[in-house]
Amino acid sequence: VDAGHQNEVPEGHEPFPTDLPTVVINEVQAGNDSTWQAEDGSLPDWLELYNYGAEPVELLGLELSDRSGGRWAPQSGTLAPGEILFLIADATEAEGHLPFLIGSDGEELMLLADGWQIDAVFLGVLDDDLSMARFPDGGDWFPTATPSPQEPNREPSETLDPRDGVFTTDRIFRMDVALTQQAYNTMNSMSEIEVPCELDIDGIHYDEVSIRLKGSASFDFMDGKPAFKIDLNEFVPGTRFRQLKAIMLNNGNVMDPTRVRDHLTYKLAREVGLAAPRVGWVELYINGIYYGIYMNIETHDDVMMAKYFPDQEETGMLFEPQWSGAADFGQNSIDFDREEGTPNPPQASIDNMQRLDELVQGPATDGNIAAMWEVLDRSFLYYMAWEGVVNHTDGYKAPNNYRFWVNGDTNKIHFVPAGAEWTWDFAVQPWSFGGNVASFCTQNTNCEREYGEKLLEVAQLVVDMNLSQEFADVSQWLDPVIAQDPRSPHSAGSVTNARNSTTTRLAQNPGDIRGDVCGRYPAICP
């Protein structure tokens, strides 16, 4: 992108005027897939003009054009100081519309005043739901994954992943679900049947998506506070919201009155390189009835896994233990539920799963540990350390709520964090694992010592990332919404107790880990 005021005097022209309008192109989106929706349901391109000056600007005399020769020339109107003018680029002549489209494969836009070019923007290729915007309004240009149509531009996003704008700690989305009575009655059962519904989220309307109840211990019926999974492309393939194809709404009913533990715990997991979900928040309405606040947990699907394991749609696989939660390696079976990935996996991937199952049934010799690393990615040590530091009561330490990805390139197994709401609640027990693979490692001195080194790293990250302060900040931000949740099973006292417990564990776990590790392996401590 390039932009600027071109003030060279063409040959034969008068000197460049000094009183030209204080208007610039402020934000442009060429690939609107789920950012802004028109009244007719379409998702058109759009752009904004902005008056950065201290005086009103008459629109008469302005001209906006694109590289195809399309031209918008308003005949009336005024733009007040600091005002944004939102224009729909749908190639129509209606008021507030531009008579051209914005090219998604690169575009040039020019803004003129009385024939003088006062601004120009040269756009490259942007993915869907990204925009190019000035930060702050009227400032420098940046691409962003958090477009702000008809609103002031805040800050550019840290990444150009449109999903990042959904999983954020500065905004709670409103979501409205409309169900027929028949769909409501059908869904309101333990069978977790998917039913059609209408959905509105962030001003985007979907005529037909699917919704179902979910959960085991957290399961609830519609007269309580149930958890939900919404599948956007069940009926219309390819439907997305900011590139997400599914939305997972956790209710926090069982072990997280704070509604923040998932966010903290997964953030720590991502920091050590694990493929962990991101977390956002939603206020949910169903048929106009307020259901309170939910955590929007990024779905463990091929969209999420592609972020960490790109180009493996035809080879990679995501598995979870069967519904009972009892499935594990070392049980003479690799009968896990395949959640995502190819139905025709490479034989080498199946062989590696079988090999790991066999290895952890034997003695934890140095040779068997070396053989384990041939089929299991070494990031598993960070997975163990992550669980050890946060005391992941519902994860592989149990084992119950965990997943693993079989890498389609290396055929190695990568453990994937899941079910992180029951964390930061008890004193650490870093050497205790119910999962057979982790227990196998801790039976070997070299593997256990290497795990201890990772424990020290992860414990220090809790301090370096200042997770205690983040917990306090996010809790304060969410507190008014949690307090007015009409369906939460948690009392105000339960919320306070859970926050106090989390604060204590965030403060004490890193030091407790260092004490445990250094007491067992003093040579690896500074």
Side-chain angles (χ1 to χ4, degrees):
V1 61
D2 190 14
H5 302 276
Q6 298 188 0
N7 53 13
E8 293 183 5
V9 180
E11 185 177 352
H13 283 65
E14 296 296 324
F16 194 83
T18 59
D19 58 347
L20 287 172
T22 54
V23 179
V24 292
I25 303 167
N26 198 52
E27 185 170 10
V28 184
Q29 183 168 70
N32 174 19
D33 188 54
S34 56
T35 298
W36 184 86
Q37 191 167 39
E39 291 183 0
D40 63 1
S42 64
L43 297 162
D45 305 338
W46 53 268
L47 63 77
E48 295 174 342
L49 301 181
Y50 174 71
N51 179 4
Y52 62 87
E55 300 294 334
V57 171
E58 295 293 332
L59 298 181
L60 180 63
L62 293 183
E63 180 181 314
L64 182 68
S65 61
D66 73 341
R67 66 180 178 183
S68 70
R71 177 177 171 272
W72 172 78
Q75 300 302 305
S76 63
T78 302
L79 198 59
E83 185 179 359
I84 292 171
L85 177 62
F86 182 78
L87 297 169
I88 302 168
D90 59 356
T92 68
E93 299 288 346
E95 183 177 356
H97 295 244
L98 298 175
F100 54 82
L101 305 176
I102 302 173
S104 60
D105 58 346
E107 179 64 279
E108 177 181 359
L109 299 169
M110 290 170 288
L111 182 64
L112 290 82
D114 297 324
W116 292 94
Q117 183 173 307
I118 59 173
D119 199 16
V121 181
F122 303 92
L123 299 172
V125 178
L126 287 177
D127 288 341
D128 288 347
D129 286 326
L130 301 182
S131 72
M132 190 67 71
R134 293 182 182 271
F135 294 95
D137 290 323
D140 294 331
W141 285 99
F142 293 93
T144 183
T146 54
S148 53
Q150 299 177 309
E151 296 179 359
N153 299 340
R154 295 179 291 272
E155 293 183 358
S157 58
E158 294 183 1
T159 76
L160 293 182
D161 182 347
R163 294 165 291 184
D164 285 347
V166 180
F167 305 112
T168 176
T169 56
D170 65 359
R171 184 178 181 191
I172 301 173
F173 284 79
R174 173 168 173 154
M175 186 179 295
D176 289 83
V177 171
L179 289 161
T180 65
Q181 189 63 53
Q182 179 181 355
Y184 181 101
N185 294 339
T186 300
M187 180 177 66
N188 194 23
S189 69
M190 283 292 291
S191 57
E192 299 190 350
I193 297 175
E194 293 184 337
V195 300
C197 71
E198 293 183 53
L199 173 68
D200 284 89
I201 179 170
D202 196 30
I204 306 299
H205 178 79
Y206 299 90
D207 287 330
E208 191 174 38
V209 302
S210 77
I211 187 170
R212 67 172 175 85
L213 304 184
K214 77 176 193 73
S216 49
S218 63
F219 185 89
D220 204 351
F221 291 98
M222 292 295 289
D223 58 353
K225 189 179 176 71
F228 300 95
K229 181 178 180 181
I230 298 173
D231 190 339
L232 298 173
N233 67 173
E234 173 70 16
F235 301 111
V236 183
T239 302
R240 299 287 189 269
F241 177 73
R242 308 292 167 81
Q243 296 191 6
L244 296 171
K245 70 175 186 178
I247 297 171
M248 195 79 69
L249 299 181
N250 282 18
N251 52 21
N253 279 7
V254 181
M255 291 301 172
D256 190 15
T258 77
R259 318 300 206 284
V260 185
R261 289 173 175 168
D262 286 286
H263 164 67
L264 287 184
T265 308
Y266 286 137
K267 183 174 183 178
L268 179 64
R270 293 194 302 274
E271 189 69 19
V272 300
L274 300 175
R278 290 165 290 185
V279 179
W281 291 268
V282 164
E283 287 190 272
L284 179 65
Y285 292 77
I286 298 181
N287 289 347
I289 299 173
Y290 182 51
Y291 272 63
I293 189 168
Y294 283 79
M295 286 81 70
N296 178 12
I297 311 293
E298 188 172 13
T299 307
H300 288 84
D301 58 17
D302 55 350
V303 175
M304 173 186 152
M305 299 312 297
K307 176 181 176 69
Y308 302 98
F309 302 97
D311 303 321
Q312 293 192 19
E313 294 87 350
E314 303 299 324
T315 56
M317 298 175 292
L318 183 70
F319 290 92
E320 64 175 338
Q322 296 181 23
W323 186 85
S324 65
D328 192 9
F329 291 98
Q331 297 180 338
N332 290 314
S333 172
I334 55 170
D335 186 22
F336 299 95
D337 290 335
R338 182 177 57 81
E339 195 170 23
E340 288 286 346
T342 175
N344 301 303
Q347 185 60 44
S349 294
I350 302 301
D351 291 345
N352 280 356
M353 293 170 62
Q354 184 67 51
R355 179 62 173 148
L356 183 60
D357 183 74
E358 296 169 352
L359 281 168
V360 300
Q361 296 180 62
T365 63
D366 287 346
N368 282 344
I369 292 293
M372 178 182 74
W373 296 133
E374 293 177 1
V375 298
L376 176 66
D377 190 82
R378 221 176 187 94
S379 62
F380 180 66
L381 292 168
Y382 278 114
Y383 180 93
M384 289 177 61
W386 167 73
E387 285 206 326
V389 170
V390 307
N391 200 29
H392 190 197
T393 310
D394 191 34
Y396 192 60
K397 286 175 72 71
N400 181 43
N401 204 346
Y402 70 96
R403 289 169 171 79
F404 62 89
W405 176 262
V406 182
N407 190 309
D409 294 331
T410 66
N411 300 305
K412 285 189 173 184
I413 296 161
H414 298 248
F415 273 65
V416 176
E421 69 176 16
W422 197 6
T423 52
W424 307 108
D425 216 14
F426 301 104
V428 296
Q429 296 179 310
W431 314 107
S432 173
F433 279 93
N436 291 333
V437 182
S439 179
F440 183 69
C441 172
T442 58
Q443 293 171 38
N444 178 276
T445 300
N446 291 328
C447 191
E448 186 185 68
R449 183 172 58 247
E450 191 174 354
Y451 160 58
E453 293 171 349
K454 301 299 186 288
L455 276 171
L456 293 177
E457 289 184 44
V458 178
Q460 186 59 44
L461 274 176
V462 174
V463 178
D464 294 343
M465 294 170 67
N466 203 1
L467 291 186
S468 291
Q469 186 61 54
E470 178 150 3
F471 177 69
D473 291 343
V474 177
S475 294
Q476 182 179 23
W477 172 60
L478 291 176
D479 188 59
V481 186
I482 291 175
Q484 69 180 10
D485 189 334
R487 291 173 172 254
S488 173
H490 304 296
S491 66
S494 296
V495 174
T496 298
N497 290 339
R499 286 175 177 166
N500 290 340
S501 172
T502 303
T503 299
T504 298
R505 297 273 48 100
L506 283 164
Q508 293 185 3
N509 282 18
D512 291 347
I513 288 290
R514 284 191 292 270
D516 280 359
V517 172
C518 295
R520 184 171 294 216
Y521 295 105
I524 68 174
C525 291

